[in-house]
């Protein structure tokens, strides 16, 4: 599985999350502690928001710890909203197009988890993406497919409902044609104004997810793993949750793709 970190608040240097903390995202790419794969070396990416509505994007297929351009970029770029990801592939190739985050217009999206047996029903999953959106399909991952299906389901106006409906459709395919665990999901997404995060699994093993408000930074980090040892105020996000973070605070709601599937 992958590791990721996101931030919303007063602008900070990207390195304050990505590389400087003792258990930074780059450190987690070599030594993750709360997932099955300690090494996350199949690529990395950062999407950050600045003066324009659309995010900047930097991705590569090399390990995050070996890219000096990444360290230079994070040391000099400031942002009040960004998403960063280090990848451990669950089957698809290590290529730039398969690295997270993925973007569409002003939206960015990244995922940690798995869709059970995805290689057995990839073609069926691709068919969930409408033709007018399929031209934005760059890679071959289940994560990018889920993102594009969520866009088709109305992400622009209803982020929670759209992601619930998309998740329900992908999970239904996994139950019909794939294998268990059918779906494990922690994801972060943003429209440049708010940061959204979800933690969900079809079993009892949802990937880890935490958040923490920093008084010194006047911002909030949302992460797969806490960024420093000894900071006891990281709060775990419960499984089955959809979170909306803005610069004023947060709202946590139930995330219920099964209910969406029954309603459909």
């Amino acid at each position: 599985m992958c590791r990721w970190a996101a931030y919303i608040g007063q602008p900070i240097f990207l390195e304050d999350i990505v590389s400087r903390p003792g258990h930074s995202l780059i450190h987690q790419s070599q030594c993750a502690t709360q997932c099955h794969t300690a090494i996350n070396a199949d690529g990395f990416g950062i999407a950050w928001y600045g003066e324009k509505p659309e995010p900047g994007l930097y991705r590569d297929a090399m390990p995050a710890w070996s890219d000096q351009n990444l360290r230079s970029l994070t040391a000099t770029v400031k942002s009040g909203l960004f998403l960063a990801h280090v990848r451990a592939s669950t089957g698809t190739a290590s290529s730039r197009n398969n690295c997270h985050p993925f973007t569409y217009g002003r939206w960015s999206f990244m995922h940690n988890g798995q869709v059970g047996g995805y290689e057995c029903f990839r073609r069926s999953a691709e068919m969930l993406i409408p033709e007018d959106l399929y031209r934005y399909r760059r890679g071959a991952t289940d994560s990018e497919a889920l993102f594009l299906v969520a866009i088709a389901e109305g992400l622009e106006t209803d982020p929670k409902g759209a992601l619930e409906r998309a998740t329900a459709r992908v999970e239904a395919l996994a139950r019909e044609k794939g294998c268990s665990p059918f779906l494990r999901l922690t994801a972060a997404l943003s429209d440049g104004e708010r940061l959204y995060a979800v933690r969900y699994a079809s079993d009892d093993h949802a990937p880890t997810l935490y958040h923490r408000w920093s008084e010194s930074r006047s911002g909030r980090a949302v992460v797969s793993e806490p960024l420093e040892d000894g900071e006891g105020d990281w709060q775990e996000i419960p499984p089955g949750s959809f979170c909306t973070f803005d610069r004023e605070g947060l709202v946590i709601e139930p995330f219920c793709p099964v209910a969406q599937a029954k309603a459909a």
Side-chain angles (χ1 to χ4, degrees), residues 172-187:
L173 279 178
R175 290 182 179 277
E176 178 186 356
K177 301 180 178 182
C179 59
S180 63
F182 300 113
L183 196 145
R184 291 176 180 168
L185 167 72
T186 60

Side-chain angles (χ1 to χ4, degrees), residues 75-158:
T76 56
V77 172
K78 270 188 170 183
S79 174
L81 178 51
F82 59 89
L83 286 64
H85 187 280
V86 291
R87 183 171 183 252
S89 173
T90 55
T92 49
S94 296
S95 72
R96 185 178 285 115
N97 283 337
N98 285 337
C99 291
H100 309 221
F102 306 102
T103 61
Y104 171 83
R106 63 195 176 105
W107 284 91
S108 55
F109 175 87
M110 61 186 179
H111 167 227
N112 167 41
Q114 64 194 103
V115 180
Y118 184 74
E119 66 280 358
C120 298
F121 61 89
R122 183 179 299 171
R123 185 173 183 276
S124 297
E126 301 270 325
M127 296 297 290
L128 298 178
I129 304 170
E131 186 173 350
D132 63 327
L133 288 174
Y134 195 80
R135 63 193 177 98
Y136 297 100
R137 176 75 153 146
R138 302 288 185 242
T141 63
D142 50 7
S143 304
E144 186 187 33
L146 177 64
F147 177 42
L148 291 172
V149 175
I151 293 168
E153 290 288 343
L155 191 67
E156 289 276 357
T157 57
D158 181 17

